[in-house]
Amino acid sequence: MKTLTLISIVFITFFGLNAQNGMKTGAESTGQYFPVIKGKRVAILSNHTGMVGNEHLVDILVENKFNVVTIFSPEHGFRGDADAGEHVESMVDKKTGIPIKSLYDGKDQKPDRESMNMFDVMIFDIQDVGLRFYTYYITMARMMDACAEHGKKMIVLDRPNPNGHYVDGPILDMRHKSGVGWLPVPVVHGLTLGELALMINGEKWLPEGRICDLTVIKCKNYTHKTLYKLPVAPSPNLPNMKSIYLYPSTCLFEGTMLSLGRGTKYPFQVYGHPGLKRFYKFSFIPQSISGAKNPPLLNQKCYGRDLRYISDKLLFERGFDLTYIIDAYGKLNMGDKFFMPFFEKLVGVDYVRKMIIDGKSADEIRKMWEKDVENFKKQRKPYLLYEE
């Protein structure tokens, strides 16, 4: 398995970056985009992560007398508290009175013509975590397509990728394109959303080869070797950095009969099932809580593994790790019933399920995508804005 050069990776918190290295998100470089939106009708596509210091981007624009006419919100809503896949209603922002239009009704839709005619320029500002099945990039891509169709300019205020220090996992077979996988990229693509937006244009990935009139406002003093600690949880079930680092691997349990800890205080950091009682002492009970109203195996005592104490260093060495799925599959002895159809939408290819059933090891399966990952790294190189 290919390991990362961990010595070169910078371990530092968000606030430390600001203080020591002058790291700034795109949203903080107001001098680069304020002149572009002056005198224009402005739409914002953002959520609770669109912070500029201690203030939200929307509030800053309103304070500076810009004409913000509408807000669009992605999965989890503008305040970031809705369940994964939950229908989110449109509403009005209580603080500013600006109408909020939800783009997520469980299918992640493009805005309609009436909504697009309301504004002249679109600003996108959302914190991503760099995974193919994390839906914020799909919302961005569909807005790029809508802007291309309707002749609107789009400005992406870039933010660091907390999983931006590596690239790993199968590239999506487009036969499995879905609301959790929309582009032919690896599970861990290693790009910021700004870089990915440039790649979407450059590779002509929008429908019918459309090109969006795009400007990316870069982060300052950031590289892909910088480990960026998020100041705000990006969604309800990614509450800390451990969950974000484990997410590429443990999210696959969403496509199985197991729980990955939704409905607990440590989602994506554990996995378990009632049938694993004779193998493990660790247990948890998924309950209905905010952000996980109806989690898998609700109110059932699940036995399994607690991954919270695995070191970050080891997680980075392992990368996209199939050993957890393989372990659970072997112990539960359920055969193909272990998997649900959703598994292929997450992993993106047919061969992973088949090879697990055939008893192949994680390293043997990894060899199937290693060459594809290397080719993808070459393909993405022209679009990189930051040093690797």
Side-chain angles (χ1 to χ4, degrees), residues 144-178:
M144 287 177 64
D145 188 37
C147 286
E149 279 189 287
H150 296 277
K152 306 293 183 177
K153 183 171 186 61
M154 183 164 168
I155 300 171
V156 173
L157 305 181
D158 212 8
R159 291 182 178 266
N161 176 358
N163 283 307
H165 51 281
Y166 73 112
V167 181
D168 203 0
I171 291 176
L172 178 67
D173 180 336
M174 294 302 281
R175 291 179 301 171
H176 295 299
K177 182 178 178 180
S178 72

Coordinates of all heavy atoms in Angstrom, one line a residue, residues 144-178:
M144 N -23.5 25.3 -11.6 CA -22.7 25.7 -12.7 C -23.5 25.4 -14.0 O -23.4 26.3 -14.9 CB -21.4 24.9 -12.7 CG -20.4 25.3 -11.7 SD -18.9 24.2 -11.7 CE -18.2 24.6 -13.3
D145 N -24.1 24.3 -14.1 CA -24.9 24.0 -15.3 C -26.0 25.0 -15.5 O -26.3 25.5 -16.6 CB -25.4 22.6 -15.2 CG -26.0 22.1 -16.5 OD1 -25.5 22.4 -17.6 OD2 -27.1 21.4 -16.5
A146 N -26.8 25.3 -14.4 CA -27.9 26.3 -14.5 C -27.3 27.6 -15.0 O -28.0 28.3 -15.8 CB -28.6 26.3 -13.2
C147 N -26.2 28.0 -14.4 CA -25.6 29.3 -14.8 C -25.2 29.3 -16.2 O -25.4 30.3 -16.9 CB -24.4 29.7 -13.9 SG -24.9 30.2 -12.2
A148 N -24.6 28.2 -16.7 CA -24.2 28.1 -18.1 C -25.4 28.2 -19.0 O -25.4 28.8 -20.1 CB -23.5 26.8 -18.3
E149 N -26.5 27.5 -18.6 CA -27.8 27.6 -19.4 C -28.4 29.0 -19.5 O -28.9 29.3 -20.6 CB -28.8 26.6 -18.8 CG -28.6 25.2 -19.1 CD -29.8 24.3 -18.7 OE1 -29.9 24.1 -17.5 OE2 -30.6 23.9 -19.5
H150 N -28.3 29.7 -18.4 CA -29.0 31.0 -18.3 C -28.1 32.2 -18.5 O -28.5 33.3 -18.3 CB -29.8 31.1 -17.0 CG -30.9 30.0 -16.9 ND1 -32.1 30.2 -17.5 CD2 -30.9 28.8 -16.4 CE1 -32.9 29.1 -17.3 NE2 -32.1 28.3 -16.6
G151 N -26.8 32.0 -18.8 CA -25.9 33.1 -19.0 C -25.6 33.9 -17.8 O -25.4 35.1 -17.9
K152 N -25.4 33.2 -16.7 CA -25.1 33.9 -15.4 C -23.7 33.6 -15.0 O -23.1 32.5 -15.2 CB -26.0 33.4 -14.3 CG -27.5 33.5 -14.6 CD -28.0 35.0 -14.7 CE -29.5 35.0 -14.9 NZ -30.0 36.4 -14.9
K153 N -23.0 34.6 -14.4 CA -21.6 34.4 -13.9 C -21.7 33.7 -12.5 O -22.6 34.0 -11.7 CB -20.9 35.7 -13.8 CG -19.5 35.6 -13.3 CD -18.7 36.9 -13.4 CE -17.2 36.6 -13.1 NZ -16.6 35.7 -14.0
M154 N -20.7 32.8 -12.3 CA -20.6 32.2 -11.0 C -19.3 32.4 -10.4 O -18.2 32.2 -11.1 CB -20.9 30.7 -11.1 CG -21.0 29.9 -9.9 SD -21.8 28.3 -10.1 CE -21.4 27.5 -8.6
I155 N -19.2 32.8 -9.1 CA -18.0 33.0 -8.4 C -17.9 31.9 -7.3 O -18.8 31.8 -6.4 CB -17.9 34.4 -7.7 CG1 -18.0 35.5 -8.8 CG2 -16.7 34.6 -6.9 CD1 -18.2 36.9 -8.3
V156 N -16.9 31.1 -7.3 CA -16.7 30.1 -6.2 C -15.6 30.7 -5.3 O -14.5 30.9 -5.7 CB -16.2 28.8 -6.8 CG1 -15.8 27.8 -5.7 CG2 -17.3 28.1 -7.7
L157 N -16.0 30.9 -4.0 CA -15.1 31.3 -3.0 C -14.5 30.0 -2.4 O -15.2 29.2 -1.7 CB -15.9 32.1 -1.9 CG -16.7 33.3 -2.4 CD1 -17.3 34.0 -1.2 CD2 -15.7 34.2 -3.2
D158 N -13.3 29.7 -2.7 CA -12.7 28.4 -2.4 C -12.4 28.3 -0.9 O -12.1 29.3 -0.2 CB -11.4 28.2 -3.2 CG -11.2 26.8 -3.5 OD1 -12.1 25.9 -3.3 OD2 -10.1 26.5 -4.1
R159 N -12.4 27.0 -0.4 CA -12.1 26.7 1.0 C -11.2 25.4 0.9 O -11.3 24.6 0.0 CB -13.3 26.4 1.8 CG -14.1 27.7 2.1 CD -15.3 27.4 2.9 NE -16.0 28.7 3.2 CZ -15.8 29.5 4.2 NH1 -15.0 29.1 5.2 NH2 -16.5 30.6 4.4
P160 N -10.3 25.2 1.9 CA -9.4 24.1 1.9 C -10.2 22.8 2.0 O -11.3 22.7 2.5 CB -8.6 24.3 3.2 CG -8.6 25.7 3.5 CD -10.0 26.2 3.0
N161 N -9.6 21.7 1.5 CA -10.1 20.4 1.6 C -9.5 19.6 2.7 O -8.3 19.4 2.7 CB -9.9 19.6 0.2 CG -10.4 18.2 0.3 OD1 -10.9 17.7 1.3 ND2 -10.2 17.5 -0.9
P162 N -10.2 19.2 3.8 CA -9.6 18.5 4.9 C -9.0 17.1 4.5 O -8.2 16.6 5.3 CB -10.7 18.4 5.9 CG -11.9 18.5 5.2 CD -11.6 19.4 4.0
N163 N -9.5 16.6 3.4 CA -9.0 15.3 2.9 C -8.2 15.6 1.6 O -8.1 14.7 0.7 CB -10.1 14.3 2.7 CG -10.6 13.7 3.9 OD1 -9.8 13.2 4.7 ND2 -11.9 13.7 4.2
G164 N -7.6 16.8 1.5 CA -7.0 17.1 0.2 C -5.5 16.7 0.1 O -4.9 17.0 -0.9
H165 N -5.0 15.9 1.1 CA -3.6 15.5 1.1 C -3.4 14.2 0.4 O -2.3 13.7 0.3 CB -3.1 15.5 2.5 CG -3.9 14.7 3.4 ND1 -5.1 15.2 4.0 CD2 -3.8 13.4 3.9 CE1 -5.6 14.3 4.8 NE2 -4.9 13.2 4.7
Y166 N -4.5 13.5 -0.1 CA -4.3 12.3 -0.9 C -5.4 12.0 -1.8 O -6.5 12.7 -1.8 CB -4.2 11.1 0.1 CG -5.4 10.7 0.8 CD1 -6.0 9.4 0.5 CD2 -6.0 11.4 1.8 CE1 -7.1 9.0 1.2 CE2 -7.1 11.0 2.5 CZ -7.7 9.8 2.2 OH -8.8 9.3 2.8
V167 N -5.2 11.1 -2.8 CA -6.2 10.7 -3.7 C -6.3 9.2 -3.7 O -5.3 8.5 -3.7 CB -5.8 11.1 -5.2 CG1 -6.9 10.7 -6.2 CG2 -5.6 12.6 -5.2
D168 N -7.5 8.6 -3.6 CA -7.6 7.2 -3.4 C -9.0 6.7 -3.7 O -10.0 7.5 -3.7 CB -7.3 6.8 -2.0 CG -6.8 5.4 -1.8 OD1 -6.8 4.6 -2.8 OD2 -6.5 5.0 -0.6
G169 N -9.1 5.4 -4.0 CA -10.4 4.8 -4.2 C -10.8 4.6 -5.7 O -10.2 5.3 -6.6
P170 N -11.8 3.8 -6.0 CA -12.2 3.6 -7.4 C -12.8 4.9 -8.0 O -13.4 5.7 -7.3 CB -13.3 2.6 -7.3 CG -13.2 1.9 -5.9 CD -12.6 3.0 -5.0
I171 N -12.6 5.0 -9.3 CA -13.2 6.1 -10.0 C -14.7 5.7 -10.4 O -14.9 4.5 -10.8 CB -12.4 6.5 -11.3 CG1 -11.1 7.1 -10.9 CG2 -13.2 7.4 -12.2 CD1 -10.2 7.4 -12.0
L172 N -15.6 6.6 -10.3 CA -17.0 6.3 -10.5 C -17.2 5.7 -11.9 O -16.9 6.4 -12.9 CB -17.9 7.5 -10.3 CG -19.4 7.3 -10.6 CD1 -20.0 6.4 -9.6 CD2 -20.1 8.7 -10.6
D173 N -17.8 4.5 -12.0 CA -18.3 4.0 -13.3 C -19.6 4.8 -13.5 O -20.6 4.7 -12.7 CB -18.5 2.5 -13.2 CG -19.1 1.9 -14.4 OD1 -19.7 2.6 -15.2 OD2 -18.9 0.7 -14.6
M174 N -19.7 5.5 -14.6 CA -20.9 6.4 -14.8 C -22.2 5.7 -14.9 O -23.3 6.3 -14.9 CB -20.6 7.4 -15.9 CG -19.5 8.3 -15.7 SD -19.7 9.4 -14.2 CE -20.8 10.6 -14.9
R175 N -22.2 4.4 -15.0 CA -23.4 3.6 -15.0 C -24.0 3.7 -13.6 O -25.2 3.4 -13.4 CB -23.2 2.1 -15.3 CG -22.8 1.9 -16.8 CD -22.5 0.4 -17.0 NE -21.4 -0.1 -16.2 CZ -21.1 -1.4 -16.1 NH1 -21.8 -2.3 -16.7 NH2 -20.1 -1.7 -15.3
H176 N -23.2 4.0 -12.6 CA -23.7 4.2 -11.2 C -23.9 5.6 -10.8 O -23.9 5.9 -9.6 CB -22.7 3.5 -10.2 CG -22.7 2.0 -10.4 ND1 -23.8 1.2 -10.3 CD2 -21.6 1.2 -10.8 CE1 -23.4 -0.1 -10.5 NE2 -22.1 -0.1 -10.8
K177 N -23.9 6.5 -11.8 CA -24.2 7.9 -11.5 C -25.5 8.1 -10.7 O -26.5 7.5 -11.0 CB -24.2 8.7 -12.8 CG -24.4 10.2 -12.6 CD -24.4 11.0 -13.9 CE -24.7 12.5 -13.7 NZ -24.7 13.2 -15.0
S178 N -25.4 8.9 -9.7 CA -26.6 9.1 -8.8 C -26.5 10.4 -8.0 O -25.5 11.1 -8.2 CB -26.7 7.9 -7.8 OG -25.7 8.0 -6.8

